[in-house]
Amino acid sequence: MYVILLGPPGVGKGTQGVLLADAMGWQRVVTGDLLRAAVDAGTDLGHEAQGYMSAGELVPDPLIIEMVKEKLTALPPGRGVLFDGFPRTEAQASAFGLMLQALGRTIDGVVVLEASDEVLTARIAGRRSCPSCGAVYNTVLAPPKQEGVCDNEGSQLVHRADDTAATVEHRLTVYRRETEPLIAHYEASEASVHHVQGDKRVEEVQGEVLEVLGLGT
Ligand code: AMP
């Protein structure tokens, strides 16, 4: 199955993506993680992307499309794939459609996670993530067992440079303007689109995500 997780920053795409991919043995394609890795590695892509990311702007479509194309062709065939943070614009969605067509694949489901701006802002302020396994914590809502340390990996958790109050509001505006219209894009396509409230307990949201995708027990 190929599934897209759509939703504003802070809604829980990362958390739900890890849980869903682990439960199903799927690959994850997370453009934010790929970009952060490129920045850390100091590649040309990383240098180009860094300014946009720290300003809460989208990285230009051609860079993203090329990056995803490379990633898609390198994926082992036959496994489910979960896309988190991609596509984010109409141009990316169109290019993605063509990439999938060339691979003989289709999007089987789109899960739209939703929450109010107040919930999103609070979550992002306390968000900490593990650079090794991608696990996401919240200092208030879902703290790790030991402060600042990943329960799974023992790695030091990081606070993303773009998770500041100043940037969050802008990222939400960019989401509403550029990415939210993709819900209508996929509703008008063959893919089935499911809306799930993301402001509940992690396990509850996970149960609903599995359910709407027809993967619940
Ligand atoms: P995320 O971890 O998904 O919140 O992404 C962090 C930042 O990376 C975003 O604010 C953008 O600057 C950039 N980014 C991630 N995915 C994309 C994408 N599909 N298109 C453009 N920019 C992206």
Side-chain angles (χ1 to χ4, degrees):
M1 246 181 136
Y2 274 26
V3 169
I4 298 173
L5 269 185
L6 261 183
V11 79
K13 298 188 300 297
T15 302
Q16 293 301 329
V18 168
L19 291 172
L20 181 58
D22 283 357
M24 303 307 301
W26 291 351
Q27 305 274 320
R28 289 190 312 139
V29 173
V30 186
T31 44
D33 286 354
L34 293 172
L35 290 168
R36 281 182 286 276
V39 171
D40 289 347
T43 63
D44 290 347
L45 170 64
H47 286 300
E48 286 201 65
Q50 196 164 23
Y52 296 100
M53 293 172 76
S54 48
E57 297 288 351
L58 293 182
V59 173
D61 289 328
L63 295 176
I64 299 289
I65 290 166
E66 196 49 42
M67 180 179 82
V68 172
K69 207 181 265 180
E70 267 176 39
K71 181 78 188 167
L72 266 187
T73 44
L75 284 179
R79 281 178 71 182
V81 184
L82 184 83
F83 296 89
D84 163 355
F86 176 87
R88 245 167 157 115
T89 63
E90 284 283 354
Q92 291 179 21
S94 307
F96 189 32
L98 294 175
M99 283 179 222
L100 291 174
Q101 206 175 16
L103 293 169
R105 305 290 314 225
T106 49
I107 291 298
D108 302 289
V110 179
V111 177
V112 185
L113 293 176
E114 293 165 342
S116 68
D117 283 5
E118 292 71 36
V119 169
L120 299 171
T121 310
R123 282 203 184 159
I124 291 176
R127 175 157 72 179
R128 301 290 182 275
S129 52
C130 173
S132 309
C133 72
V136 184
Y137 301 86
N138 186 286
T139 50
V140 182
L141 305 167
K145 293 193 184 94
Q146 189 189 338
E147 196 186 326
V149 178
C150 178
D151 292 349
N152 309 326
E153 305 283 330
S155 316
Q156 284 295 319
L157 299 177
V158 293
H159 185 201
R160 283 171 42 177
D162 58 345
D163 275 352
T164 60
T167 323
V168 166
E169 204 183 311
H170 185 60
R171 284 161 65 203
L172 285 172
T173 305
V174 170
Y175 171 78
R176 303 276 179 232
R177 191 182 64 221
E178 303 286 343
T179 310
E180 212 167 45
L182 296 187
I183 300 171
H185 171 107
Y186 283 109
E187 276 170 347
S189 78
E190 309 264 287
S192 43
V193 178
H194 312 278
H195 294 257
V196 172
Q197 278 306 120
D199 55 1
K200 303 182 197 158
R201 284 188 312 114
V202 168
E203 300 75 20
E204 259 182 275
V205 178
Q206 187 194 13
E208 280 188 38
V209 169
L210 289 169
E211 176 101 27
V212 295
L213 291 172
L215 303 169
T217 46

